[in-house]
Amino acid sequence: MRSNNIIDVHAPVAEALAKGRPVVALESTIITHGMPWPRNNEMAGDVEALIREEGAVPATIAVVDGRLKIGLSDQEREKLAQAEDPMKLSRADLAFAIAEGKSGGTTVAATMIAARMAGIAVFATGGIGGVHKGAETSFDISADLDELARTPVIVVSAGPKAILDTEKTLEVLETRGVPVIAYGTDTMPAFWSRNSPYPAPLRLDTAEAIARFQATRTALGIDGGMLIANPVPAEEEIAADVMAGHIATAQRDADEKGISGKDVTPFLLARILELTDGASLVTNIALVKNNARLAARIATALAAE
């Protein structure tokens, strides 16, 4: 089966790629599994608009009825946002969904794969997956980490999701040779919060410096991706000590209910939404928008290299 028989590149994305204009990939699990209708569709539309305002072209990636979509029309995005029981797609099951004609949202790993196939170098998300707490017995480690090690895409995030074991996640990324760059700070952000207890492995302060770093890696023949950890705006953050209590409660609830595997992250995020009376969702949207702006600026700088 030839790839052009299963992949649809949205016309504005195809035109931008052909002309060497900046393009930013966006994942779609935040639409399918991150928040309810209609807020999921509204948020996704707002993020795409922000990228356009920065002079880049958004490419939301998803699988719709067995077609890998590199960029969605408004109608396709709305359909995905209302899909019943969509799959949550990573490297292991991306091809399965396409082969079986299913629909699903792409995780960080699956979005990176699709972005590389399309020739998109920059991807904006909320937070990456990583090593879950208790992974020493559950072995629950996200495929996102191995994808960052193998796939040459810059991933702009607010760091690992705060429900994870950040220290172990950083250790795995170091072992895999993935550069982790904190943007404008010496400490790793903690998703909903600007600071964690962990120092940033590397720091850069401009989109141009990030683009220059990636261009140098390419010139040296160094494969794999790069993780940018971009702190949520100060006025939108939730204090780390406050979030720690909510995360502990949500994790305890998940353990008591026997939640495991791919169901862990959606359960924890939904439970934290309840515990924070909706504040976590407001901050989540703010950090996604903040990451989209930075990703567009990095894509623009890369296009100028």
Side-chain angles (χ1 to χ4, degrees), residues 243-257:
M243 286 307 305
H246 295 318
I247 292 167
T249 298
Q251 185 66 62
R252 184 170 59 250
D253 292 346
D255 293 341
E256 290 175 354
K257 292 178 180 294

Side-chain angles (χ1 to χ4, degrees), residues 58-304:
T60 299
I61 292 172
V63 175
V64 179
D65 297 331
R67 304 288 301 180
L68 179 57
K69 301 286 185 175
I70 311 295
L72 297 175
S73 67
D74 291 346
Q75 293 76 19
E76 287 170 333
R77 190 183 66 240
E78 182 173 331
K79 179 180 179 180
L80 183 69
Q82 297 180 83
E84 294 185 9
D85 198 28
M87 294 183 70
K88 182 180 179 184
L89 302 172
S90 191
R91 170 174 279 268
D93 43 20
L94 176 63
F96 175 87
I98 295 169
E100 295 299 314
K102 297 182 178 295
S103 296
T106 52
T107 62
V108 168
T111 305
M112 290 182 73
I113 292 167
R116 176 189 53 80
M117 291 173 63
I120 301 171
V122 184
F123 159 38
T125 185
I128 65 161
V131 180
H132 278 267
K133 294 175 182 178
E136 60 271 17
T137 56
S138 70
F139 295 94
D140 192 351
I141 301 174
S142 172
D144 294 354
L145 303 186
D146 278 343
E147 207 61 53
L148 276 160
R150 65 161 66 96
T151 303
V153 174
I154 297 173
V155 179
V156 182
S157 74
K161 294 184 177 73
I163 57 177
L164 303 171
D165 189 321
T166 299
E167 185 175 25
K168 288 185 175 65
T169 297
L170 289 172
E171 287 291 343
V172 171
L173 288 170
E174 180 184 23
T175 299
R176 299 289 193 271
V178 177
V180 179
I181 299 99
Y183 182 70
T185 179
D186 293 318
T187 61
M188 283 295 294
F191 196 65
W192 293 290
S193 312
R194 287 179 60 81
N195 295 300
S196 75
Y198 308 106
L202 299 168
R203 171 178 175 164
L204 289 172
D205 294 342
T206 67
E208 290 75 18
I210 294 168
R212 185 169 62 248
F213 181 22
Q214 180 66 358
T216 304
R217 294 180 75 230
T218 301
L220 292 171
I222 299 174
D223 295 328
M226 177 190 298
L227 178 64
I228 311 300
N230 184 30
V232 64
E235 65 274 14
E236 303 286 355
E237 77 164 330
I238 302 174
D241 58 343
V242 173
M243 286 307 305
H246 295 318
I247 292 167
T249 298
Q251 185 66 62
R252 184 170 59 250
D253 292 346
D255 293 341
E256 290 175 354
K257 292 178 180 294
I259 306 295
S260 62
K262 283 187 175 184
D263 295 330
V264 172
T265 295
F267 175 86
L268 292 176
L269 294 178
R271 185 71 182 101
I272 289 167
L273 179 64
E274 295 174 356
L275 293 167
T276 61
D277 293 324
S280 64
L281 179 57
V282 174
T283 298
N284 196 351
I285 293 171
L287 65 85
V288 170
K289 290 180 177 179
N290 193 45
N291 295 339
R293 291 188 191 94
L294 178 57
R297 293 167 189 172
I298 294 169
T300 299
L302 276 173

